[in-house]
Amino acid sequence: AQSVTQLDSHVSVSEGTPVLLRCNYSSSYSPSLFWYVQHPNKGLQLLLKYTSAATLVKGINGFEAEFKKSETSFHLTKPSAHMSDAAEYFCVVSDSGSKTSYDKVIFGPGTSLSVIP
Amino acid sequence: DVKVTQSSRYLVKRTGEKVFLECVQDMDHENMFWYRQDPGLGLRLIYFSYDVKMKEKGDIPEGYSVSREKKERFSLILESASTNQTSMYLCASSSLPEKDRYNEQFFGPGTRLTVL
């Protein structure tokens, strides 16, 4: 069975300092992994996705995530936080090995990022 | 630019009313989904559809029904709205695994429904 754990429900950083949002997963198959961002009263926007081509994945707005199979982790990082990064972030796992039309997608509970001026 | 649109951003209804939430996607996706999002509970799947006129229950289908008469449109129906259905509702779509093995979902902007 698949599951996603986001280790911090809330993270607060100062503007200009690094961001680390942690995600651990479990999956029976070779997983697809995603990070989505949701700004207040908006839908979810894809930040990046793990495609198995490279373990370090670059996304939009300077975000990166590293897939570590041995640690079953997919942590999201950014070298320098900006005020506009304040939002809710969701780690998502999907079973990419299934042949069915619908592959169950599991969302983590989310991490709220605050950026202090 | 690919898009998933939802008919309303904000909606206020009274208890017992029948409520329709509409979602349209322009990406020719086979799969469409309805989620509700509540503080502390994250996203929970209500229903999904993998083809026209086909539907499957998600994790919390009670009190909801869906309709998919056309490939691009997926409707969520609250037959008799109750106050515990006050929530943010998100629609999403995705392609088939053989077309996109990574199962990326594309989301609409959400509808914030308040039931009084």
Side-chain angles (χ1 to χ4, degrees), chain B residues 55-109:
Chain B
K55 61 185 179 184
E56 293 282 347
K57 293 180 180 179
D59 300 318
I60 51 164
E62 296 79 18
Y64 303 94
S65 62
V66 290
S67 172
R68 192 163 181 204
E69 297 296 320
K70 294 185 178 181
K71 188 177 185 180
E72 67 271 18
R73 188 180 297 269
F74 192 35
S75 302
L76 180 69
I77 303 155
L78 287 65
E79 295 289 342
S80 178
S82 63
T83 55
N84 63 13
Q85 293 178 309
T86 293
S87 186
M88 170 74 104
Y89 290 88
L90 292 166
C91 176
S93 71
S94 72
S95 189
L96 291 173
E98 51 264 38
K99 296 180 184 176
D100 173 17
R101 65 180 289 264
Y102 306 109
N103 301 321
E104 177 182 346
Q105 293 194 8
F106 296 82
F107 284 83

Side-chain angles (χ1 to χ4, degrees), chain A residues 34 36 38 41 46 51 100, chain B residues 9 33 37 97 102 104-105:
Chain A
F34 307 84
Y36 285 86
Q38 184 182 32
N41 295 310
L46 183 69
T51 65
T100 59
Chain B
R9 293 299 309 277
F33 309 84
Q37 183 181 21
Y102 306 109
E104 177 182 346
Q105 293 194 8

Side-chain angles (χ1 to χ4, degrees), chain A residues 42-92:
Chain A
K42 296 287 181 65
L44 275 70
Q45 179 186 17
L46 183 69
L47 271 181
L48 49 82
K49 62 184 177 185
Y50 168 65
T51 65
S52 76
T55 56
L56 183 62
V57 183
K58 294 186 183 297
I60 61 172
N61 300 334
F63 283 94
E64 292 182 348
E66 187 171 7
F67 173 68
K68 291 187 176 180
K69 189 174 181 179
S70 60
E71 299 176 11
T72 61
S73 69
F74 191 56
H75 301 333
L76 182 70
T77 61
K78 183 174 180 178
S80 175
H82 190 272
M83 294 299 294
S84 61
D85 294 328
E88 189 87 13
Y89 291 80
F90 295 92
C91 182
V92 181

